[in-house]
Amino acid sequence: MSANAKDLRNPLKRARGFGSAQSGVGHWWTQRITAAALVLLGLWFVITVLSLAHADYAAAKAMVAKPWNALLLILFVATMFWHAVLGLQVVIEDYVHTRWKEVVLLVAIKFLAVLGALAGVLAVLRIALGV
Amino acid sequence: MADTRRPLSPHLQIYKWQVQMVTSILHRATGIALAVGTLVVVWGLLSLAAGEAAFDQFKVCMGSPLGMILLIGWSWALFYHLCNGIRHLLQDTGAGYAIPQFVRSSWLSIVVSLVLVVLVWGYVLTAGGAA
């Protein structure tokens, strides 16, 4: 404390911008909301895949091409990658203690997730639109 | 920072194993496994969009012994992460934090996830052979 005695700044001024006073709450909420969405979308996805368990190519394609199925699949793919990135981010931040490796991994999972999400969405659109 | 001597918390091997600990670790582990599994979802969609030959190749890979082991593993990871995720969402509301409830809901996540795996694969097999 004695070291700070001459510091006239308000303690809050010194604390702001450090540690958890950043965007943690936003991350937490987004993780929960995508989780709640994935409860519904995940169950729908499992049921849809199970209904296709022994279907041939044409039946599988026709299933994905139905408007509601295409819409829900796009939602599922986007939410799935979003939630995965949020979760992996926390794991990397917890266990990777070399800063440059941490940053490289954090950027890499985001690149991969965007690539995966766009590839998945594009595939669904190609099937749904028949191009 | 360098000369602060903070007490270190004991690491994993110090603690007695309890189910709450197992469910917590499994939630992370299954989350990481499912993040890898997202790539298989995208692979399936891409192959479906690419044409019958590509989709057949995808089905052969997934229907191979290694593919089936991975699929069974991923199905359990999905159901476990789903059950335990719902448990965490309920706990986020402040419910179920008394130790007996916490232990009971931990076991519930594990048991329900295993029951769901058996039900789903029972359905797939009785509906006529492997995908």
Side-chain angles (χ1 to χ4, degrees):
Chain A
M1 278 310 281
S2 60
N4 291 331
K6 289 177 187 162
D7 191 345
L8 296 178
R9 286 180 300 173
N10 189 296
L12 188 62
K13 170 70 181 167
R14 273 183 276 115
R16 240 178 218 150
F18 287 104
S20 59
Q22 292 173 19
S23 54
V25 178
H27 180 286
W28 190 93
W29 266 111
T30 315
Q31 195 173 35
R32 266 52 181 190
I33 292 167
T34 50
L38 280 172
V39 170
L40 303 173
L41 290 168
L43 283 173
W44 168 83
F45 179 74
V46 167
I47 292 167
T48 306
V49 170
L50 281 180
S51 73
L52 287 173
H54 305 289
D56 59 1
Y57 174 72
K61 208 168 174 181
M63 177 73 125
V64 173
K66 282 184 189 160
W68 273 106
N69 287 342
L71 172 65
L72 289 173
L73 254 181
I74 289 172
L75 272 178
F76 175 68
V77 167
T79 317
M80 170 181 84
F81 276 107
W82 194 357
H83 187 78
V85 161
L86 292 175
L88 288 178
Q89 182 192 336
V90 176
V91 173
I92 291 166
E93 286 167 350
D94 278 358
Y95 302 131
V96 181
H97 299 305
T98 312
R99 183 63 177 156
W100 71 267
K101 287 181 192 166
E102 184 186 347
V103 172
V104 167
L105 279 173
L106 288 174
V107 173
I109 57 163
K110 290 196 170 80
F111 280 2
L112 267 177
V114 171
L115 191 70
L118 287 180
V121 168
L122 196 64
V124 174
L125 286 178
R126 279 179 64 200
I127 296 164
L129 302 175
V131 286
Chain B
M1 190 72 176
D3 55 359
T4 42
R5 288 197 190 167
R6 278 176 287 188
L8 291 170
S9 65
H11 200 50
L12 277 179
Q13 65 269 24
I14 299 295
Y15 296 103
K16 190 181 91 179
W17 279 84
Q18 347 177 44
V19 69
Q20 310 92 294
M21 189 170 156
V22 175
T23 48
S24 175
I25 293 168
L26 282 180
H27 199 72
R28 280 217 156 163
T30 53
I32 295 168
L34 289 169
V36 177
T38 58
L39 301 177
V40 177
V41 174
V42 170
W43 178 20
L45 288 171
L46 285 175
S47 71
L48 194 62
E52 189 153 10
F55 189 64
D56 282 344
Q57 197 184 24
F58 171 72
K59 271 168 67 169
V60 167
C61 287
M62 286 294 111
S64 71
L66 180 63
M68 293 298 278
I69 291 170
L70 286 173
L71 278 183
I72 292 172
W74 268 314
S75 67
W76 174 72
L78 177 68
F79 287 132
Y80 176 77
H81 204 83
L82 177 72
C83 292
N84 204 51
I86 293 171
R87 171 171 167 260
H88 278 313
L89 285 175
L90 296 175
Q91 284 168 346
D92 285 339
T93 68
Y97 271 103
I99 292 174
Q101 291 174 315
F102 208 81
V103 170
R104 212 181 313 134
S105 62
S106 286
W107 280 112
L108 197 64
S109 290
I110 295 173
V111 171
V112 172
S113 68
L114 290 173
V115 168
L116 285 171
V117 170
V118 171
L119 282 179
V120 158
W121 286 95
Y123 169 79
V124 172
L125 294 177
T126 52

